[in-house]
Amino acid sequence: MDRLIVSQPSDPPVFSDDMVANLPEPARRFFTFAIAEGTPLYTIALIEMQGRFGMGDKADPGYMPMRATQVLAAPEGFVWAMSGGLRTMRMSGSDSGSWTRFWLYGLAPVVRFGGDPDHTRSAFGRYVAEAAFWTPAAVLPGPDVTWEPVSEDTARYTMRRGDLEQSVDVTVDAEGRPLQVSFLRWSDANPEKIYRLQPFGGYLSEFREFDGFTLPTHVEAGNMFGTDDYFPFFIADVTSVTFPRAE
């Protein structure tokens, strides 16, 4: 987390509507809703959340309470440190762009993987999508981010980092609130346990202002978004968002 926070811009430019005047209309509405005029464009956020995490499937979600701290620093990376569980099982762990590990009762590792191209590509998809609603300054148009229209209320951005590339669709309302995000994620969350592109996404609501950014504080997301098999395994309520600066 400290390594990512160090890359926070120390004296960023401030937001102006002129920066997004030439974007597709849904994207322009999104940015003018999410970022107030004159807001310093910090791109790295520290997020505290609580909620439920599903360990099962749609038929048997197996939800357990969770708390998590996240540093989100697209396109560089992210760290999501979670703890939670039930009386019969407690887990803690972390998920980042290169590895995932969870512990049972703080002692026995129950999941560990990462450091391979499949996991890196999958993790990249997650944090690129989350950047749209928790660090909107990170998805402003630039050398690594481009936008294109999809429909009257949906625009698509594509973020690149080295050999990685991820496109995400953002659907907004008339005021520009991002109501949902969706994308094709590289994932093995399927019965065959084979990595492939498949729908992923979620719904956003309960917007609050944080240092000039208006961000969703309730998120429900999961695999097979937009299909009958959609399972929202991640249900989170954000309790704080800050934009830390390196000391």
Side-chain angles (χ1 to χ4, degrees), residues 1-196:
M1 288 185 173
D2 290 342
R3 179 183 63 81
L4 293 174
I5 290 171
V6 165
S7 60
Q8 179 82 276
S10 58
D11 187 22
V14 300
F15 180 71
S16 167
D17 292 356
D18 294 341
M19 294 178 174
V20 297
N22 295 324
L23 289 182
E25 177 58 21
R28 188 199 63 79
R29 296 205 312 268
F30 162 66
F31 282 113
T32 56
F33 169 82
I35 312 177
E37 188 85 3
T39 297
L41 293 172
Y42 292 111
T43 57
I44 298 172
L46 174 64
I47 306 153
E48 301 285 346
M49 66 186 76
Q50 60 188 20
R52 295 184 293 162
F53 192 81
M55 298 295 292
D57 55 25
K58 183 176 181 179
D60 183 16
Y63 286 118
M64 66 178 187
M66 67 89 178
R67 291 181 179 273
T69 299
Q70 178 167 336
V71 170
L72 181 59
E76 178 63 24
F78 82 117
V79 175
W80 183 70
M82 182 271 284
S83 64
L86 304 171
R87 286 180 297 175
T88 56
M89 183 184 75
R90 295 200 61 80
M91 296 177 67
S92 63
S94 180
D95 187 9
S96 76
S98 60
W99 59 272
T100 298
R101 186 167 185 171
F102 291 95
W103 293 267
L104 181 64
Y105 294 110
L107 298 173
V110 293
V111 180
R112 180 173 182 170
F113 60 89
D116 62 78
D118 287 322
H119 184 264
T120 298
R121 183 177 177 184
S122 181
F124 185 69
R126 170 180 168 169
Y127 69 80
V128 166
E130 291 184 356
F133 45 91
W134 283 329
T135 55
V139 297
L140 282 164
D144 300 318
V145 181
T146 55
W147 284 83
E148 60 185 301
V150 175
S151 68
E152 182 179 353
D153 294 317
T154 300
R156 176 178 299 145
Y157 67 92
T158 300
M159 181 176 286
R160 302 167 183 85
R161 181 179 183 272
D163 295 333
L164 297 170
E165 179 176 299
Q166 180 67 58
S167 295
V168 178
D169 289 358
V170 181
T171 299
V172 301
D173 67 8
E175 284 75 40
R177 293 178 186 83
L179 302 181
Q180 68 180 55
V181 296
S182 59
F183 61 104
L184 292 177
R185 185 180 185 185
W186 190 248
S187 173
D188 66 348
N190 51 66
E192 297 76 25
K193 301 299 180 183
I194 296 173
Y195 273 97
R196 61 193 181 205

Side-chain angles (χ1 to χ4, degrees), residues 198-222:
Q198 56 190 42
F200 193 94
Y203 298 100
L204 316 175
S205 59
E206 299 181 22
F207 294 86
R208 289 171 49 198
E209 190 270 334
F210 301 90
D211 295 335
F213 296 96
T214 301
L215 312 174
T217 62
H218 184 77
V219 177
E220 299 186 10

